[in-house]
Every structure is written in C-alpha cells, then in structure tokens.
C-alpha cells in the first residue's frame, strides 16, 4: 500500500523520482508527491491528489539531485492535496508507507495539535520527528521517535541542514536499497529503480539508513553498524514494462504459460517433483495429519484449489483460512500440522500475521511467495518461490496460476512421500502439469471470441459464476476478478447450492458463467445449468466438450482443451481472466488500476 522512493545522486532527482513513482503506482494511486532539496538547501514540495501524471504536470524544472517521492493508497484521511505525502513539519519532510496505530495518543501526549494540517497518521510522525530534531542530529531524532510508534512503517525522511542526505527506517513495511553509478536509491520495491542496477539489498527492520549521493550506511537502534546483505535481481527491466501490450494485465495473462514453466520445470527431475534446491527436505512432508492454508484474495482461491487436490490425493483434512479471520480465532493446529502461507507480494499483513501466529504452534510452515526476500518468505520455515516475475496489474493473474501450479507440485510430492501414489502415476501427474502451459496458450488464442461474449455482460447488474468441485473454487476466482476490475457485481456459487435460495435472483438475461470440467459431477452441473437456463439466464458455458449447441443448456460455449480433469483449472481460469479483462476494457475502465484497490495490502 503506498509506494515510496528516495534518490540521492548525480542526475536530476525529479526525473528519477517521477519515473520510479510511475512504476510504483500499482501500490496506490490516490495521490502523489515529491520533496527535494533546492540549491539553497531548503526543502521544496510538490504534491497533488490524482495520479503520477497529475504530479508531473505540476512539477517545475529543477536541478535538484536529492529527493523523495510517494504514491498513496489512502488509509487515514480522504484523497486530497493536503493529505498527499510528503508531509513537511518544520525542518522535516517525510513519506510513509504503513499505519501509525497510536497517532491519536501521540498527538495529545506530545501536544502536536497545532502542528498538524492534514488528517493523516503520517503527519503526526513528521511532527514528532520535528519536535525531537535539534537541527543537527537527524539519527538522534529517529532513535527518539521510533520506540514511540505503534504500527507498521517505512519512512524516507529529509532533514533541513542535511542537504543531499536521505534517512530511512522501516518496521514490517518493505524497503529495498541499492547503490549504482547514478547514486543511491531506496524504494518500496525494486521495480522503482531496476533500470539503474541489478544488485540491491533488503533493508533490515529497524536499521537506520543514511544515504548520500555516493554511500549508504546503516546502523541499528543502538548505533552499531550493519552491513547490507547484497542480492541480485533475477529479472530485467522489461519484465516490469508493458512490452507492447496496452495494459499490464493483458501482458501478465499472456505470460502465464512461461511463468508456469519457469516455476515447475526446475523442480522436476527424473519426471518427479524435486524440492531439494528449495531446501525443503522430504521429512517436511512426512507424518502430516492436517494442513492449513492461509492467504487472502486470489492467493486464498489458489489455496482452495490446493485443498481440493491435496485432500483427494492424500486423504488428510486441509483447511483454507482467510488470513484476516485466522488471526482472530484460536488456531486449530498442532506441532504436526503443516501451515502453508500463500502470497504474491509476500508482504500482505494479514497473511504475515497469520503466519506469525501459526509459527507459535508448529515448526512446519511453508510459504508460496513470488517476491524474493519478502517478509512472508523470510519468516516461514521453508519457501517455495514462484517465478512469475513482477506482477504489476492489481488483479492477480499469472501469480495466481503459478500458485496453483505450486500446489500441484506440493500435492504430488506429499503423495509420493506418504506413499499414496506410485512413481509411475506421479510421473504422469507431472507430465500433465508440464502440459498446462500449452492448454493456457490454446485458450489465449481464443481471446477474440471471449472478448465478443463479454459484450453481453457490460450492462449487467448481477452475474453468477457456478460450478462444482474444482470448478466451484475457480468460480470464486472468476467472480473476484470480474468484480475488482469491471465493478459488475458477481457471485460465485456451488452449482448444487443455487436452488437453496440464490436461484431467486436469476431472471431474464442474467449472465451465468458456468463451469463444467469435472467428469464426476458433469451431469449434475448440467442439470443445475438447465435450471438457471429455464429461468431465463444467459449462460456462458466452459467445458471440455468440443461443441455444445443445445440452447436449453447454454447460449455460448467455450471449448477448453481436453486434459485430465484435475488440470482443467489452468485453461478455465484463463478464460475467466480474459472475460474480466474485456468486461473492464469494454466499460472503458483501466484494468490495471481499479478504483479503491492497491496491489499489496500492508494494512489490516
Ligand atoms: O500479495 P498477495 O498474494 O498476498 O495478495 C493477496 C490479495 O490481496 C490479492 O490476491 C488480491 O485479492 C488481488 N487483487 C486479486 O486479484
């Protein structure tokens, strides 16, 4: 939530900051702002409600070489110019990602009322810093205020009398930093400055950074020097660009076949799943009596696919917990339970906190994470990195598919270790998994046809996604995708459950997207579809049949490539993603940046 960037160097800071913010915009796009040192040593601020392009429009030409920038996802205080970051209080200008939970108490305790002009928690931190800053000792001021703050934060700070220097500190909210020939960089994530260099480090929690145009130094809260642990990025700048596509989302849908191949191929040896390069020993999978999956949103839906699969192959109970709920219920897990946290960003606070809670009960935690070195990856006992590359569109597509693929790997590995599957069957299973990239490509080739059928949905007030078994889990993902980027209300229903109430909402022309890829419940789903069709629904059916022309069943049929039923999820969800995408574009919306949303949800 919120993107932050800082730069001190030998080129124009404004260009670096604005370009970086443009790349970070997926983290929040309510307002944007920059602060920089003028030649006089004074701090100047430009900020506005709106997007980075609106900020660009109000920036003048200046040659400053040190500054900080912010793109906001509003939490405290409306979307106004006043509430946009940076916040300047006296001799301090500051940007913030996170939430200061005790900001009300701080205001009264330290008498800050008169210093505040915005409605944000962030300005309170700026005011507090200014109160403790003596005009000389920037680090002293940081050390004085940080213990007073409750909540999560990543701050970049400019102090008057320290021109050319940026100070930073974080708790939970992410920050990465790098030194390149142009200068020193710090940001919420790498996409902001990847074009300048490939080596970077993750800023440790509670390390105080001082950045000049040539150096980054770090010390802990006791003043002890900290050496950065350098790491190298595994993708290049083009991965974070649109690369000729009109939107990131369309690019990312199209990247799925490669992303899945990158995620699974290095983990197959001799035709069998092999997680030794990930450092996950077979003993991890032994003797497990139950599994709990914790995640949010699409990652949680991927977990539901994992649940269906693992439960069937292993015959052990698998629970999928919404991370934000799991945190506040007594966890029903033991030291023999496996807990799997799933997250693209690796920084979703609810998932992170749920993982922390789970770790109090079991040492068998594993995360499926896309962003290298992220908090969830670092805090779990084992990590299975997905290799989707950067996912920029707010709606998750390729990250969801690689999460599903990871569950297929894990399910096969678990079943092998627990001797629930023969090696031959495991090899067939893995072969099927390797073929899913082709089936996704086959569906992408039908994009034009899928785009046409979405025209029927653009004026709908309500839509329904129905299916049974794995198809029901996909229905949830399809409905979420449609809602978040097209703002069309969508509800996912287990097809057999409709008649217990919701079928009352079906009337003439209501779009129903029906999935029927699971052989063992095929005829049942078709009966459920007939029921809605008989009540006037406009049915779009996805199945592996070559053709269905019976108008008593559906109005439009999308034929999916024929695969083993368990693997149909990959092509089917791609259709659902494309439907959502064209529904959004058809309504003239921006699928990459839907209203009210941000890519990484680092607030509770
Ligand atoms: O980064 P995470 O995978 O932890 O994010 C979880 C959800 O916030 C995310 O999947 C969200 O639901 C997406 N916008 C869905 O498209």
């Amino acid at each position: 939530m919120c993107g932050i960037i800082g730069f001190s160097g030998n080129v124009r800071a404004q260009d670096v900051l604005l370009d970086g913010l443009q790349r970070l915009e997926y983290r929040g796009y309510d307002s944007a702002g920059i602060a920089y040192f003028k030649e006089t040593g004074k701090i100047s601020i430009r900020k506005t409600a709106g997007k980075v392009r609106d900020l660009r429009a109000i920036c003048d030409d200046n040659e400053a070489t040190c500054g900080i920038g912010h793109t906001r996802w509003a939490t405290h205080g409306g979307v106004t110019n006043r509430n946009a970051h940076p916040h300047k209080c006296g001799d301090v200008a500051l940007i913030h990602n996170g939430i200061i939970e005790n900001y009300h108490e701080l205001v009264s305790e330290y008498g800050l009322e008169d210093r505040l002009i915005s409605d944000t928690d962030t300005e309170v931190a700026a005011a507090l810093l200014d109160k403790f800053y003596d005009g000389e000792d920037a680090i002293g001021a940081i050390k004085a205020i940080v213990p007073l703050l409750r909540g999560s934060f990543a701050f970049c700070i400019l102090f008057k009398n320290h021109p050319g220097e940026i100070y930073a500190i974080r708790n939970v909210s992410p920050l990465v930093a790098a030194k390149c020939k142009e200068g020193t960089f710090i940001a919420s994530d790498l996409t902001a400055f990847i074009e300048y260099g490939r080596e970077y480090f993750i800023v440790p929690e509670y390390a105080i950074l001082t950045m000049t145009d040539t150096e980054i130094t770090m010390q802990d809260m006791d003043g002890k020097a900290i050496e950065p642990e350098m790491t190298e990025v595994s993708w290049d700048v083009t991965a974070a660009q649109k690369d000729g596509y009109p939107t990131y989302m369309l690019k990312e849908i199209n990247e799925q076949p490669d992303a899945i191949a990158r995620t699974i191929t290095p983990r197959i040896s001799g035709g069998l799943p092999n997680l030794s390069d990930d450092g996950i020993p077979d003993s991890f999978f032994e003797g497990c009596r139950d599994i709990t999956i914790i995640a949010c949103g699409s990652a949680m839906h991927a977990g539901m696919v994992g649940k269906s699969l693992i439960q069937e192959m292993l015959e052990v109970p698998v629970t999928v917990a919404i991370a934000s709920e799991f945190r506040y219920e007594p966890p029903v897990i033991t030291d023999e339970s496996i807990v799997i946290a799933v997250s693209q960003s690796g920084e979703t606070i609810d998932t992170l906190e749920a993982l922390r809670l789970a770790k109090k009960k079991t040492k068998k935690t594993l995360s499926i994470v896309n962003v290298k070195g992220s908090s969830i990856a670092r805090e779990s006992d084992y990590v299975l990195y997905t290799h989707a590359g950067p996912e920029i569109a707010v709606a998750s597509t390729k990250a969801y598919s690689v999460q599903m693929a990871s569950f297929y790997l894990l399910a096969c590995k678990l079943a092998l270790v627990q001797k629930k599957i023969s090696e031959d069957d495991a090899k067939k299973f893995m072969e099927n998994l390797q073929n899913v990239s082709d089936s996704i490509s086959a569906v992408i080739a039908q994009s034009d046809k899928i785009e046409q059928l979405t025209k029927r949905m653009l004026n709908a007030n309500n839509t329904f996604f129905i299916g049974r078994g794995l198809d029901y889990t996909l229905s949830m993902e399809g409905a979420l995708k449609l809602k978040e980027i097209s703002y069309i209300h969508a509800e996912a229903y287990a097809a057999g459950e409709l008649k217990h109430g919701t079928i009352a909402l079906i009337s003439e022309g209501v779009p129903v997207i029906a999935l029927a890829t699971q052989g063992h419940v095929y005829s049942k789903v078709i009966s459920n579809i007939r029921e809605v069709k008989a009540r006037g629904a406009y049915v779009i059916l996805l199945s592996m049949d070559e053709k269905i022309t019976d108008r008593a069943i559906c109005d439009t049929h999308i034929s999916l490539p024929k695969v083993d039923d368990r693997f149909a999820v990959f092509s089917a969800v791609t259709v659902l993603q494309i439907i959502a995408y064209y529904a959004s574009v058809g309504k003239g919306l921006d699928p990459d940046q839907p209203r009210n949303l941000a890519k990484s949800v680092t607030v509770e």
Side-chain angles (χ1 to χ4, degrees), residues 129 161 207 209 220 250 307 326 358 400 453 483 516 582:
L129 256 183
N161 299 337
L209 256 81
D220 66 16
L250 192 59
K307 169 192 160 100
F326 179 85
Y400 170 83
L453 69 87
K483 280 183 279 205
Y582 283 112

Side-chain angles (χ1 to χ4, degrees), residues 305-324:
V305 173
K307 169 192 160 100
S308 284
L309 202 68
I310 296 171
Q311 245 173 212
E312 187 210 311
M313 290 173 75
L314 230 69
E315 295 159 18
V316 299
V318 181
T319 307
V320 180
I322 299 172
S324 55

Side-chain angles (χ1 to χ4, degrees), residues 52-220:
V52 175
R53 64 169 176 269
D54 302 308
L55 173 64
R56 257 184 216 280
I58 59 160
C59 284
D60 53 10
D61 270 346
N62 71 77
E63 296 303 320
T65 54
C66 175
I68 54 180
H70 186 271
T71 175
R72 178 171 186 240
W73 186 83
T75 57
H76 294 64
V79 179
T80 61
N81 292 351
R82 217 162 22 100
N83 291 338
H85 301 210
H87 288 284
K88 188 161 177 286
C89 254
D91 291 345
V92 172
L94 165 148
I95 51 176
H96 170 218
N97 172 25
I99 287 186
I100 309 300
E101 290 167 5
N102 58 334
Y103 75 108
H104 273 309
E105 292 100 294
L106 291 171
V107 171
S108 43
E109 206 167 315
Y110 291 90
L112 303 175
E113 292 89 349
D114 296 344
R115 293 173 179 245
L116 305 175
I117 53 171
S118 79
D119 317 308
T120 65
D121 52 334
T122 302
E123 196 188 15
V124 175
L128 202 56
L129 256 183
D130 185 53
K131 194 175 172 76
F132 281 86
Y133 177 51
D134 59 7
E136 293 288 329
D137 187 4
I139 290 182
I142 295 172
K143 281 185 183 164
I145 75 140
V146 162
L148 308 177
L149 307 177
R150 215 172 54 231
S152 60
F153 51 81
F155 292 127
C156 286
I157 314 157
L158 304 183
F159 289 93
K160 195 177 160 217
N161 299 337
H162 291 268
E165 290 177 7
I166 296 170
Y167 293 81
I169 188 161
R170 79 176 190 98
N171 168 40
V172 183
S173 306
L175 277 178
V176 290
K179 191 173 103 176
C180 311
K181 74 175 181 352
E182 290 81 359
T184 59
F185 297 79
I186 189 161
S188 301
D189 75 51
L190 271 178
T191 51
F193 57 74
I194 173 89
E195 65 186 290
Y196 296 97
R198 306 188 61 77
E199 282 220 313
Y200 70 100
F201 65 92
I202 294 161
V203 176
E205 282 181 321
Y206 291 105
I208 304 172
L209 256 81
T210 307
M211 297 168 47
T212 66
D213 56 345
T214 54
E215 285 304 329
I216 302 179
T217 52
M218 279 196 292
Q219 59 174 266
D220 66 16

Side-chain angles (χ1 to χ4, degrees), residues 295-300 342-348 351 376 391 393-397 399 403 477 480-481 484 597-601:
C296 304
S298 291
M300 194 250 301
V342 193
S343 176
Q344 186 286 129
S345 60
E347 61 177 79
T348 300
T351 310
I376 292 172
E391 189 179 66
V394 165
S396 184
T397 53
Q403 285 161 357
E477 177 60 7
L480 172 63
K481 216 93 302 179
E484 73 177 325
L597 295 176
K599 182 72 180 162
S600 323
V601 187

Side-chain angles (χ1 to χ4, degrees), residues 13-41:
Q14 185 168 289
D15 300 338
V16 175
L17 298 177
L18 291 174
D19 292 350
L21 287 181
Q22 198 96 53
R23 296 228 184 86
L24 289 174
E25 205 168 24
Y26 73 95
R27 301 178 66 91
Y29 31 85
D30 292 337
S31 55
I34 57 171
Y36 52 86
F37 282 108
K38 292 209 282 202
E39 271 164 27
T40 56

